[in-house]
Amino acid sequence: MSVTEIFGKTVIKANKNHPALSRGILRAGWEAEDLVFRFHPHKESFPADQYLARLMMDTMLAPLRTPDQSVICSIFTPCELVQEAQLHPYNVEAFSSYISASYAESACVQKAEETGISDTLCSYHKTFLGAAENGLMPRPRCIVYTNVTCDANLLTFSRLARLFDVPEFFVQVPSDPSEDAVAYVRDELLSLKNFLQDVTGRSIDDNALKARVERSKRTLSSFEAYQSARADRYVPSDLVTPLYSAMTANILLGTKEEETYVNRCLLDLQKAGSKKGKHIYWMHTLPFWSSAVKKYFLFNENAQIVGDELSQVCSSDFDAEDPYRGMAQRLVYNALNGPADRRIEAGIQHAKQCGADGVIWFNHWGCKHTLGMAQLAKAGFEDAGLPTLLLDGDGCDRAHGGEGQTLTRIGAFLENLV
């Protein structure tokens, strides 16, 4: 049994009778990991990825360090307003991934199901809800969420608002991308500004917000340039950097830290060698814990994951002069909002951008949006000349592993790529 597994069992055991103690143990473990990232980073990773690991760890520690200055957000919430209100955003997918990495997700999933949550609900949401019910998650200042793109959002966040007894704000995004929808969402974001000012007692300056949204635009543009430039380069790849990138590209978009990360990525390319092995573009979330996936993609010169869909759901083509309109455009024209073909077309564009030799479409257990369009996506990618593997599994809950099948199917897929 590894040290991490022992740590997870300790957290679960303490949580049965002493929730506050278990949360303290969880924080202590994450603080220790933060020190490891700072002083003993993984030597195979490029400096930008080492920086990103620390950035993501600090983001997950923020709600444990200062819960009254933290806000639970859905992954695609435009967080520039939250940041200007001096609150720390964290979300379902990231927090649950860290619970899973700590080998504590099983107790959280069990707790959620004991309270009546269906076993078919996304395991990220079950883990998040269970962590809240178990006392592992601290009480936030407020909750802000949207309906893009996960239908579980509507259940999870309203339930958490009742459980924690905190104010909530829901940004409803029309599923038909249009300029009328942008105008509607812009008005909602103006209301969100008032909500955050009321909750915190702090004023949000529109000029500062504009500068932050302009930084978001620069950051997204630079990341697009990085993805294009890495097409013929070799960047050592692990299984958590794509997840970190997906999380920070959403909840930390607009921060100086996120812009620094992307600029460091561009610098890293200056020392990167020529392309090695196969380039794989990953659609949807990634089972970082899977030994089968590690075998083929963990610092492997023969195959690397060079892009992740969730890092590129927003284009840099938006209006930064009007920050509310710009954020509304990012929500309405999010690649995952609207008809399935918009998501597929964006995936094809981004896979080709980074020089992908093939695509893995991950059918995460419980994600109806992803499962429902899988066959349509496979046909679309392959018509565009991108061989595609539909891979079933779970990004968070080890109980839905299927490691033998995963190992066999990825191996066969990679062997058949030209």
Side-chain angles (χ1 to χ4, degrees):
M1 185 179 296
S2 68
V3 172
T4 309
E5 289 175 279
I6 294 172
F7 171 72
K9 288 184 178 296
T10 303
V11 170
I12 292 171
K13 183 177 180 180
N15 188 247
K16 291 180 179 178
N17 299 308
H18 305 285
L21 174 62
S22 67
R23 188 165 66 244
I25 295 171
L26 187 72
R27 176 182 170 180
W30 289 6
E31 294 278 10
E33 187 72 0
D34 193 36
L35 291 174
V36 172
F37 287 151
R38 291 180 186 281
F39 298 108
H40 295 285
H42 205 297
K43 294 181 180 180
E44 291 188 67
S45 296
F46 276 4
D49 291 346
Q50 294 174 4
Y51 173 84
L52 181 62
R54 300 195 304 272
L55 177 59
M56 196 67 227
M57 190 76 256
D58 284 340
T59 302
M60 290 299 95
L61 279 166
L64 298 177
R65 291 168 174 165
T66 55
D68 63 327
Q69 299 304 314
S70 296
V71 50
I72 295 174
C73 294
S74 60
I75 183 173
F76 301 126
T77 300
C79 286
E80 290 97 336
L81 276 167
V82 172
Q83 296 154 11
E84 280 301 315
Q86 300 173 46
L87 294 174
H88 305 294
Y90 69 106
N91 67 347
V92 169
E93 292 78 8
F95 197 86
S96 294
S97 290
Y98 275 77
I99 293 288
S100 177
S102 302
Y103 283 84
E105 86 281 2
S106 60
C108 296
V109 168
Q110 181 180 352
K111 181 65 176 180
E113 293 180 353
E114 287 174 355
T115 63
I117 297 297
S118 170
D119 64 353
T120 62
L121 186 73
C122 168
S123 59
Y124 290 101
H125 285 258
K126 283 194 292 185
T127 298
F128 202 68
L129 288 166
E133 294 280 357
N134 278 337
L136 277 177
M137 186 190 304
R139 183 176 184 265
R141 188 69 167 266
C142 61
I143 296 173
V144 180
Y145 63 105
T146 81
N147 55 320
V148 180
T149 177
C150 179
D151 57 1
N153 286 353
L154 304 182
L155 180 153
T156 297
F157 295 109
S158 59
R159 185 182 179 109
L160 288 173
R162 294 192 301 271
L163 175 65
F164 287 123
D165 190 23
V166 296
E168 62 177 308
F169 191 97
F170 171 52
V171 181
Q172 183 175 10
V173 182
S175 60
D176 180 20
S178 67
E179 286 307 300
D180 286 342
V182 170
Y184 175 79
V185 174
R186 182 185 183 278
D187 288 343
E188 289 190 295
L189 295 178
L190 285 166
S191 297
L192 175 58
K193 171 187 175 180
N194 295 330
F195 169 83
L196 291 169
Q197 290 181 145
D198 290 342
V199 166
T200 63
R202 300 168 186 143
S203 296
I204 295 176
D205 180 82
D206 283 349
N207 288 326
L209 179 65
K210 179 183 175 183
R212 192 176 286 276
V213 173
E214 287 173 341
R215 185 183 296 123
S216 297
K217 185 178 179 73
R218 289 196 307 270
T219 303
L220 289 172
S221 179
S222 295
F223 191 74
E224 290 164 3
Y226 168 69
Q227 285 297 97
S228 295
R230 74 179 295 177
D232 60 354
R233 313 303 288 171
Y234 171 64
V235 178
S237 172
D238 57 29
L239 297 185
V240 290
T241 294
L243 290 173
Y244 294 156
S245 178
M247 294 305 107
T248 61
N250 289 283
I251 60 174
L252 296 188
L253 188 62
T255 64
K256 293 179 181 178
E257 292 80 3
E258 177 65 7
E259 185 173 37
T260 295
Y261 161 64
V262 174
N263 288 338
R264 289 189 179 192
C265 286
L266 288 167
L267 286 174
D268 282 349
L269 283 182
Q270 296 177 11
K271 69 174 184 180
S274 299
K275 175 186 175 182
K276 298 178 182 179
K278 303 301 181 183
H279 277 190
I280 300 298
Y281 196 80
W282 195 278
M283 295 294 291
H284 202 40
T285 189
L286 200 161
F288 66 93
W289 55 267
S290 167
S291 60
V293 179
K294 287 178 182 178
K295 173 180 171 62
Y296 290 110
F297 298 117
L298 181 61
F299 296 118
N300 188 346
E301 293 186 356
N302 296 320
Q304 306 97 46
I305 295 170
V306 295
D308 178 279
E309 171 194 29
L310 298 182
S311 301
Q312 296 184 274
V313 293
C314 298
S315 165
S316 62
D317 183 20
F318 61 87
D319 181 10
E321 285 298 311
D322 178 347
Y324 297 95
R325 173 175 163 77
M327 291 184 291
Q329 286 176 313
R330 292 208 322 261
L331 272 175
V332 170
Y333 293 107
N334 185 300
L336 275 67
N337 187 44
D341 58 357
R342 295 191 67 253
R343 181 180 180 184
I344 296 167
E345 288 168 7
I348 292 170
Q349 174 192 340
H350 295 141
K352 289 186 173 182
Q353 178 186 35
C354 63
D357 299 295
V359 173
I360 293 181
W361 180 280
F362 188 63
N363 285 322
H364 168 67
W365 170 258
C367 184
K368 301 177 184 65
H369 191 269
T370 301
L371 293 166
M373 68 173 71
Q375 293 296 335
L376 183 64
K378 181 177 174 64
F381 278 104
E382 294 189 339
D383 285 347
L386 290 162
T388 300
L389 170 66
L390 302 183
L391 185 65
D392 298 331
D394 197 300
C396 186
D397 185 2
R398 290 172 175 82
H400 292 148
E403 289 290 83
Q405 184 185 59
T406 299
L407 189 70
T408 300
R409 298 194 68 213
I410 294 178
F413 178 67
L414 293 176
E415 284 182 10
N416 288 330
L417 288 181
V418 178

